[in-house]
């Protein structure tokens, strides 16, 4: 994940952000999300990088949800699909109204 890349590069001047982790490239259209009913994209990382990526997400017609700094990356990057991750997404959708774009 992003923490491994940061460690390998070993350049403290670089600012990192993670986003579009669950978005298929075919869903990013010039007119906005392919499914406008699910416009949310998670973003996390260093504040300076997150600010730039948030602007990019808005310009693509999506709605960013900032999850925190790089310390949250293991929670939102790859790994194995688990019942806990699925339940967490369902819980946030029901409780907070989030509508993550999930590939359809």
């Amino acid at each position: 994940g992003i923490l491994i890349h940061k460690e390998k590069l070993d350049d403290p001047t670089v600012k990192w952000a993670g986003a579009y982790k669950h978005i298929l490239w075919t869903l990013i259209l010039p007119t906005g999300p392919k499914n406008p009913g699910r416009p949310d994209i998670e973003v996390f990382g260093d504040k300076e990088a997150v600010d730039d990526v948030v602007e990019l997400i808005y310009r693509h017609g999506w709605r960013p949800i900032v999850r925190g700094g790089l310390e949250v990356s293991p929670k939102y990057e790859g790994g194995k699909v688990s019942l806990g991750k699925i339940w967490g997404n369902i819980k946030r959708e029901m409780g907070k109204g989030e509508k993550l774009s999930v590939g359809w």
Side-chain angles (χ1 to χ4, degrees):
I2 199 168
L3 295 177
I4 292 169
H5 293 289
K6 181 178 180 177
E7 181 182 331
K8 296 248 183 228
L9 183 61
D10 193 26
D11 182 349
T13 66
V14 175
K15 302 302 177 195
W16 296 84
Y20 293 92
K21 295 287 186 175
H22 58 282
I23 306 298
L24 297 173
W25 66 271
T26 58
L27 299 177
I28 303 171
L29 305 174
T31 56
K34 188 170 184 177
N35 182 353
R38 302 195 72 78
D40 297 338
I41 295 180
E42 297 170 321
V43 58
F44 54 86
D46 297 321
K47 181 175 178 359
E48 299 89 345
V50 166
D51 290 346
D52 290 341
V53 173
V54 162
E55 180 64 26
L56 179 68
I57 291 169
Y58 277 127
R59 288 178 185 241
H60 280 159
W62 302 75
R63 186 172 53 200
I65 298 177
V66 178
R67 296 294 191 199
L70 287 175
E71 71 278 357
V72 303
S73 65
K75 186 173 178 182
Y76 295 103
E77 280 193 307
K80 295 180 181 176
V81 176
S82 68
L83 187 57
K85 285 183 180 181
I86 293 169
W87 177 246
N89 286 344
I90 291 170
K91 186 176 172 184
R92 285 189 300 275
E93 185 165 323
M94 292 172 57
K96 296 181 179 179
E98 293 180 8
K99 299 289 183 187
L100 293 179
S101 181
V102 291
W104 57 77

